[in-house]
Amino acid sequence: MQLYNTRTQKKEEFIPHEAGKVKMYTCGPTVYHYAHIGNLRSYIMEDMLEKALRYLGYDVTRAMNITDVGHLSSDADTGEDKMLKGARREHKTVMQIAQFYTDAFFSDCEKLGIKRPEIVIPATSCIDTFIHMVEVLLEKGYAYIAGGNVYFDTSKLENYYVFGNMEEESLAVGVRDSVEEDENKRSKSDFVLWFTKSKFDDQELKWDSPWGVGYPGWHIECSGISIKYLGEYLDIHCGGIDNAFPHHTNEIAQSEAYLGHPWCKYWFHVLHLLDARGKMSKSKGDFLTVSLLEEKGYAPLVYRMFCLQSHYRKPLTFSFESLDNTATAYKKLVSRIAALKNEGEHDEAAMEPLRASFRAALENDLNTSLALTALYDVLKAQLSDADKLALIKEFDEVLSLGLLKAAKALREEQSAQKSAVPEGMTAEEAAEIEALIAKRTEARKAKDWATADAIRDALAARHIVVKDTPAGYHVVCAGLK
């Protein structure tokens, strides 16, 4: 498999530390708010990477952290802990906020076909691990205490800026964040390993440490959890491109200083999702979530397909027009699959070239667009329907678009709609209902949600329920009124 490695700035053959086995780490969410669809693009592509590796025969162990303490609103180790900010916003405790948004995150993941990693660890459960790492870094001379806090000393490294296209001056945290620098730091690039009450006396979550009551810095959390649960050699570290600096840069610095040897060889970064305002971000106020897409009538798996149509190393521009096009393509794909019948002769030799094309797409730096093309090629191939369905099932274990389930639902809907006039309804009433449904469909296409919702409510008042699905809509007649 060829993967682009952000650390070397080139595509490389992927060779895990232990043959056939992959240790993979994903930076998890900071659970102070809902994940927006830009965040979730990264998790979709990381999920694709894990499933692709499994499909290609690797034994994958994947870990993810849940940041429930220590992530400040500024990369410069200033500002407010995001968890405390969320708790104040909703008048809840930090732990209540953490549990609610952790559950919401994994609910979104399930809707998007994202597999939950087998190892999911909240940062607050590993405080002893973080304290031990900080103690070792102090003993080795890679850290210092100032103003009550413990800082990593980047001057002790030969090359702190390991992601080669990043220049020190342009990435100086004081410049990046337009904030005052932390005067306790010896250098702008130094970062906090452990905060004490001298930093934020109102912090809700605090623990005893050799340096006073306090809490860990954000960066030490991922290093500690990865090393504790995946060992001293990590194969692939994933995250959004905005994590590359300073978060992943700092992870590499402290992990390799702590371990005394190279830590992670391959770095997999997903580029931003853009909208009309640029990069999608919570800091801009309104942001799109999976729930909002559902409210507008879009199936979450349509958004997954939208992401898979582009390469993970390219910025992806979101618009509802583009999502509409994907929804149409998804509907047509499901319709073609629904028309297949599980019958015909088996021909393994004819199936293998299609598998080879799918594998080649995955091995080519996770080219999901080509993987989708390989799926469409199955439908066009000279194969029995049974073999086509078998390949679609196999490929969709990686793509995770729920194709066979959606096709089954479509067949059931089509069967249920065969009767022209439902029992208890006159032909005139049926024509009236059809006209209203057609008007609602046009309103949805025009993004006239108010009209569409008004028609839906009018139909519901007559016990006519219109249910939107990835494959279209179907009508449930619960009786006439």
Side-chain angles (χ1 to χ4, degrees):
M1 187 176 192
Q2 298 285 319
L3 277 180
Y4 184 84
N5 187 354
T6 313
R7 186 161 183 174
T8 61
Q9 305 289 302
K10 62 183 180 181
K11 195 186 292 188
E12 300 177 359
E13 181 183 358
F14 174 65
I15 304 173
H17 183 75
E18 184 178 350
K21 297 188 177 181
V22 178
K23 301 292 182 64
M24 179 176 171
Y25 185 84
T26 298
C27 277
T30 300
V31 285
Y32 73 107
H33 214 319
Y34 293 107
H36 60 63
I37 61 172
N39 302 140
L40 291 163
R41 182 198 182 192
S42 292
Y43 293 110
I44 288 170
M45 302 315 295
E46 292 159 357
D47 176 70
M48 275 295 302
L49 177 60
E50 178 185 356
K51 289 171 178 173
L53 289 165
R54 291 182 186 277
Y55 182 81
L56 296 171
Y58 292 98
D59 178 9
V60 182
T61 304
R62 181 180 175 202
M64 175 190 285
N65 70 302
I66 298 293
T67 296
D68 53 1
V69 68
H71 190 177
L72 305 190
S73 56
S74 163
D75 286 340
D77 293 324
T78 61
E80 189 174 26
D81 187 313
K82 292 185 176 183
M83 295 303 302
L84 184 60
K85 182 179 178 181
R88 285 178 174 165
R89 181 185 67 240
E90 301 186 19
H91 307 291
K92 297 177 181 177
T93 68
V94 168
M95 286 292 94
Q96 286 172 334
I97 287 288
Q99 187 61 59
F100 179 85
Y101 287 112
T102 297
D103 293 343
F105 171 74
F106 284 114
S107 174
D108 286 346
C109 286
E110 184 176 357
K111 292 174 183 178
L112 291 165
I114 298 170
K115 173 184 175 291
R116 182 179 179 130
E118 53 264 48
I119 301 171
V120 177
I121 306 297
T124 50
S125 68
C126 293
I127 300 301
D128 289 346
T129 298
F130 309 146
I131 289 173
H132 172 71
M133 286 189 71
V134 176
E135 288 177 323
V136 172
L137 290 170
L138 281 165
E139 290 169 5
K140 288 188 169 187
Y142 284 104
Y144 59 91
I145 300 171
N149 305 315
V150 185
Y151 296 87
F152 188 91
D153 188 350
T154 58
S155 71
K156 298 298 177 68
L157 305 177
E158 290 184 14
N159 179 24
Y160 168 62
Y161 297 98
V162 292
F163 297 112
N165 63 336
M166 300 180 175
E167 297 178 6
E168 178 175 352
E169 195 58 36
S170 67
L171 291 174
V173 287
V175 176
R176 273 171 56 92
D177 297 289
S178 301
V179 296
E180 294 181 10
E181 295 172 39
D182 184 337
E183 294 180 355
N184 293 318
K185 293 182 180 182
R186 296 175 183 172
S187 169
K188 288 179 182 178
S189 57
D190 292 353
F191 56 92
V192 176
L193 298 168
W194 186 270
F195 291 110
T196 67
K197 63 181 180 179
S198 64
K199 189 69 177 175
F200 297 110
D201 197 30
D202 59 352
Q203 177 71 7
E204 184 175 325
L205 301 180
K206 305 172 187 176
W207 294 267
D208 288 327
S209 80
W211 319 286
V213 174
Y215 57 98
W218 175 38
H219 313 297
I220 198 70
E221 296 175 9
C222 286
S223 291
I225 291 170
S226 173
I227 292 169
K228 179 176 180 178
Y229 289 94
L230 296 176
E232 294 190 1
Y233 292 94
L234 182 64
D235 294 304
I236 306 177
H237 197 307
C238 305
I241 191 63
D242 51 337
N243 289 144
F245 186 90
H247 184 45
H248 292 164
T249 304
N250 292 349
E251 280 190 63
I252 292 170
Q254 64 200 9
S255 297
E256 296 191 352
Y258 169 78
L259 294 169
H261 60 69
W263 172 48
C264 180
K265 187 174 180 181
Y266 301 95
W267 290 81
F268 178 94
H269 289 109
V270 182
L271 266 66
H272 297 306
L273 182 75
L274 309 176
D275 60 15
R277 302 171 295 174
K279 178 189 129 181
M280 194 167 288
S281 170
K282 293 187 182 75
S283 63
K284 294 178 181 176
D286 293 337
F287 56 90
L288 282 172
T289 63
V290 169
S291 295
L292 284 173
L293 290 183
E294 288 182 300
E295 288 175 16
K296 293 182 180 293
Y298 297 101
L301 291 179
V302 168
Y303 177 65
R304 183 180 177 104
M305 184 171 177
F306 172 75
C307 292
L308 299 190
Q309 289 171 332
S310 177
H311 196 268
Y312 76 90
R313 283 198 293 115
K314 292 181 179 179
L316 178 59
T317 300
F318 175 87
S319 70
F320 282 108
E321 181 180 2
S322 297
L323 196 60
D324 284 338
N325 292 336
T326 303
T328 299
Y330 185 85
K331 181 179 178 180
K332 289 180 178 177
L333 177 59
V334 169
S335 181
R336 292 176 68 182
I337 295 170
L340 298 175
K341 298 179 180 179
N342 194 12
E343 57 189 31
E345 296 297 320
H346 176 63
D347 188 346
E348 186 67 32
M351 295 170 72
E352 190 51 38
L354 293 158
R355 285 198 183 98
S357 293
F358 187 69
R359 283 196 301 267
L362 300 179
E363 290 171 342
N364 182 16
D365 194 23
L366 198 67
N367 193 321
T368 52
S369 177
L370 283 180
L372 284 173
T373 299
L375 175 70
Y376 278 98
D377 287 343
V378 170
L379 291 168
K380 295 184 290 186
Q382 296 299 312
L383 291 173
S384 68
D385 281 7
D387 281 354
K388 287 181 180 181
L389 288 169
L391 285 173
I392 290 166
K393 179 181 179 182
E394 182 180 319
F395 293 0
D396 203 34
E397 288 176 1
V398 181
L399 300 172
S400 300
L401 294 172
L403 296 173
L404 294 182
K405 183 178 179 180
K408 180 182 178 183
L410 178 58
R411 287 193 298 271
E412 291 173 351
E413 290 160 15
Q414 291 171 337
S415 176
Q417 293 175 16
K418 281 184 178 179
S419 59
V421 179
E423 184 179 351
M425 184 183 292
T426 67
E428 290 77 13
E429 287 173 325
E432 181 186 351
I433 296 299
E434 288 175 5
L436 283 171
I437 292 172
K439 185 177 179 181
R440 177 177 178 270
T441 300
E442 290 304 312
R444 284 168 56 79
K445 287 181 180 178
K447 305 288 192 301
D448 184 356
W449 308 115
T451 298
D453 290 346
I455 294 171
R456 179 198 62 200
D457 294 343
L459 290 168
R462 299 175 63 174
H463 292 206
I464 307 295
V465 180
V466 182
K467 293 190 175 182
D468 297 295
T469 73
Y473 67 83
H474 70 279
V475 180
V476 177
C477 300
L480 296 176
K481 188 174 183 179

